[in-house]
Amino acid sequence: MSATSNPTPPLRRTALNATHRALGAKMVDFGGWDMPVQYSGLIAEHMAVRTSVGLFDVSHMGDIQLRGPGSLAAVQRLCMNDASRLAIGQAQYSAMLTPDGTFVDDVVVHKLSDNDYLIVINAGTREKDVAWVRKQIGAMPGIHISDYSDYYTQLAIQGPKAEATLAKLTDTSLSAIKNYWFTHGKVCGLYNVMIARTGYTGEDGFEIYIPSDEPTSALVWNEILDAGAEFGILPCGLGARNTLRLESAMALYGHEISDSINVFEANLARYAKLDKDTDFVGRAALAAIEAAGGPKRRLVGLEMIERGIGRDGYPVCTVTGEKIGQITSGSPAPFLKKNIALAYVPVQFAALDEVVAVEVRGQLVKAKIVATPFYKRRKKSIDLK
Amino acid sequence: MPYPTDYKYTKEHEWISVAGLAGTVGITDYAQSSLGDIVFVDLPKVGDTLEAGNIFGSVESVKAVSDLFSPVSGTVTAINEELKDAPEQVNADANSTWMLKLDLKDASELDGLLSAAEYEAFIAEETGH
């Protein structure tokens, strides 16, 4: 820890900044945003989401809306998944790619109507993404691009008790919203709130989009905490958000995906529809990589089998110490109670149960390749009666 | 006061309490709070020799790893075995959760350490408050 005297631009704040501080959150600079990393404690927050319910302020995420008769064609050109398969009220995981088949960003595309799509983007890539969208599709006909990133306070209510919590605050039938679908309804007396059954925790839950003025944001935040009190709801910071998404092996931009990592390497090819009827940015490169026999390295899950914690950036080696790759995200997994990591290794080392070593501060610590996601929630059991 | 006045402190956030030449070492409340949930404490063995200012172990939380620096030189006489299974004790009470005990080589090394008041001023400066 050393102090710097370089002038830095002021940190951006969500509408809930004062609310987080009043709750005693520890705040950190996250990609230029002053965000809560934890409130009561990372492990307690992580466990609340896995076993009951947690509330996150994710207003730093960005929102780009594409409207007009050309909007589907624009989304199809921009994003690798096939948005023509979406029904109104449905969302899909997708990504914007560079011409090399690497990542500009991963996104969630929501179909609001036939001529209206909302693309939710990452916080740290907001300006880059908006510029990219304008550059790629700005000249296409029948399309209007709006950056609504600052218009919404985005709250994530996540965990097995998320539905029971949110149900107290809305007359919308939440059980009718399937995973990766959304609707609009009244929440805390606010009309036309977008309610999506999405999230970044590997748990059931919802993300809601409300107006970003401070009083409204604080009111909804506090009403959710009150509604979840009987379930032991906890406000959750970015620390728990990271460990939750890591247990679920979900990619984080700048770690598992970036403009130097392609779709095949990141194991996300199932979301890239090379055969859809619109050519998309990066498609030709992906087809060439596939034709050449696939990627040379691949993202794998690691579980430490000796004592030690592999962390972001640590080298992955053979058991004899030859460097073969690198951890992109690594941490103790609070729910699984194991030390896990995601890492890039050459494909010949990527088979399940292969034993490798992680260089942990100068020492080789054995780890093995395991299946991902590390954690998978149990689906609701089917009633056979 | 969160920092006992009969302890001495390092700028790397360790504390030491001394009786004669017997020292007891832990990390400060500020250190545990900065780290968050502690999951792993790596300590030397009884009989190991420590040099003042050198790394003697590490403490890991869910989100970070931090080196431990010896406040003084000496020989390790005991380590807190409870921390192997219950490292979270450090979060619960950093002031009384010791990590190791050692026989000081040179008690005058204590003169170079911070008092509680000096340490508080130091972290106030470090956190910009």
Side-chain angles (χ1 to χ4, degrees):
Chain A
M1 278 189 263
S2 68
T4 54
S5 56
N6 293 338
T8 47
L11 292 177
R12 288 203 261 184
R13 298 174 168 198
T14 74
L16 289 163
N17 193 275
T19 303
H20 300 319
R21 290 176 176 278
L23 284 167
K26 190 185 296 174
M27 307 296 286
V28 294
D29 175 353
F30 177 78
W33 288 81
D34 187 43
M35 295 297 288
V37 64
Q38 67 167 51
Y39 303 80
S40 48
L42 194 161
I43 293 175
E45 293 165 25
H46 183 112
M47 295 305 286
V49 172
R50 286 277 179 260
T51 62
S52 187
V53 57
L55 174 63
F56 302 77
D57 176 15
V58 290
S59 307
H60 56 315
M61 305 284 287
D63 313 275
I64 301 173
Q65 201 156 345
L66 303 181
R67 273 176 296 197
S71 55
L72 175 60
V75 174
Q76 291 288 68
R77 170 84 188 134
L78 266 181
C79 298
M80 68 181 189
N81 208 334
D82 186 357
S84 75
R85 298 184 188 182
L86 287 174
I88 293 170
Q90 195 177 10
Q92 75 182 178
Y93 182 77
S94 190
M96 300 193 291
L97 304 181
T98 71
D100 296 330
T102 63
F103 292 87
V104 174
D105 198 6
D106 64 342
V107 302
V108 177
V109 176
H110 301 73
K111 181 171 180 173
L112 301 167
S113 79
D114 284 336
N115 297 321
D116 197 349
Y117 292 82
L118 181 71
I119 303 177
V120 176
I121 59 175
N122 279 303
T125 50
R126 264 194 193 186
E127 279 66 32
K128 180 189 84 165
D129 286 4
V130 173
W132 179 261
V133 169
R134 291 193 191 285
K135 182 180 159 198
Q136 296 302 322
I137 60 166
M140 288 176 70
I143 173 79
H144 184 74
I145 304 165
S146 306
D147 177 6
Y148 283 139
S149 301
D150 293 328
Y151 286 56
Y152 297 115
T153 283
Q154 185 180 339
L155 301 180
I157 306 109
Q158 301 280 302
K161 294 291 184 193
E163 183 177 321
T165 299
L166 190 57
K168 295 183 185 179
L169 305 172
T170 181
D171 52 10
T172 300
S173 171
L174 298 176
S175 58
I177 308 173
K178 289 179 282 186
N179 192 38
Y180 264 73
W181 286 71
F182 63 93
T183 189
H184 287 78
K186 195 162 90 171
V187 176
C188 299
L190 301 166
Y191 288 92
N192 207 31
V193 171
M194 187 167 124
I195 307 166
R197 198 159 204 148
T198 52
Y200 191 51
T201 59
E203 219 53 65
D204 184 27
F206 297 87
E207 292 179 291
I208 63 171
Y209 298 72
I210 60 174
S212 64
D213 66 279
E214 280 189 38
T216 303
S217 301
L219 178 136
V220 175
W221 172 272
N222 289 325
E223 290 207 13
I224 295 169
L225 289 183
D226 286 347
E230 68 167 296
F231 309 117
I233 193 171
L234 288 181
C236 299
L238 295 182
R241 187 167 157 84
N242 187 53
T243 50
L244 287 158
R245 71 93 197 164
L246 176 60
E247 279 187 344
S248 310
M250 297 164 113
L252 173 63
Y253 192 86
H255 292 249
E256 286 72 40
I257 58 177
S258 75
D259 61 7
S260 60
I261 294 165
N262 74 48
V263 172
F264 291 104
E265 292 172 327
N267 282 336
L268 293 171
R270 65 190 178 281
Y271 300 103
K273 304 297 189 244
L274 273 64
D275 54 357
K276 71 179 181 183
D277 59 12
T278 313
D279 190 22
F280 62 91
V281 182
R283 197 201 73 84
L286 294 186
I289 293 165
E290 196 171 39
K296 304 274 185 289
R297 59 174 179 171
R298 204 160 68 71
L299 188 68
V300 294
L302 292 181
E303 183 184 316
M304 306 302 292
I305 52 179
E306 290 181 331
R307 202 170 140 96
I309 301 167
R311 294 186 182 274
D312 305 14
Y314 285 10
V316 178
C317 305
T318 64
V319 287
T320 53
E322 185 197 345
K323 193 188 166 196
I324 53 171
Q326 198 169 43
I327 287 179
T328 51
S329 300
S331 166
F335 183 81
L336 299 172
K337 297 190 168 53
K338 293 170 178 173
N339 296 321
I340 59 170
L342 292 168
Y344 279 99
V345 297
V347 289
Q348 62 267 33
F349 292 98
L352 288 185
D353 297 323
E354 177 87 25
V355 175
V356 294
V358 176
E359 192 186 320
V360 179
R361 293 143 57 77
Q363 299 214 309
L364 292 178
V365 179
K366 284 196 180 109
K368 70 172 178 188
I369 313 286
V370 297
T372 54
F374 305 99
Y375 168 83
K376 205 166 171 38
R377 75 173 180 268
R378 285 155 87 169
K379 301 286 184 206
K380 280 180 195 149
S381 56
I382 298 160
D383 190 350
L384 296 172
K385 273 179 280 185
Chain B
M1 184 178 280
Y3 302 102
T5 50
D6 54 343
Y7 289 7
K8 291 282 201 174
Y9 299 87
T10 71
K11 289 186 174 180
E12 290 81 27
H13 311 291
E14 291 82 17
W15 56 256
I16 182 168
S17 131
V18 179
L21 283 178
T24 304
V25 175
I27 65 169
T28 67
D29 188 62
Y30 173 79
Q32 72 76 17
S33 163
S34 303
L35 282 162
D37 291 319
I38 291 169
V39 294
F40 186 42
V41 182
D42 191 23
L43 296 172
K45 288 189 265 307
V46 171
D48 284 0
T49 327
L50 308 185
E51 287 290 324
N54 282 7
I55 294 169
F56 71 80
S58 62
V59 54
E60 299 208 38
S61 68
V62 178
K63 64 184 162 68
V65 53
S66 183
D67 286 323
L68 295 166
F69 294 88
S70 188
V72 294
S73 306
T75 306
V76 179
T77 57
I79 65 162
N80 187 348
E81 297 285 354
E82 283 181 31
L83 296 181
K84 214 172 249 178
D85 293 322
E88 66 276 8
Q89 286 182 12
V90 181
N91 291 118
D93 187 354
N95 285 333
S96 60
T97 305
W98 61 281
M99 291 186 169
L100 63 77
K101 296 180 190 289
L102 79 174
D103 280 335
L104 273 65
K105 186 175 155 194
D106 177 2
S108 73
E109 284 178 352
L110 294 167
D111 299 340
L113 300 175
L114 305 176
S115 69
E118 287 166 338
Y119 178 70
E120 278 197 87
F122 170 71
I123 55 175
E125 196 176 305
E126 196 169 63
T127 53
H129 294 305

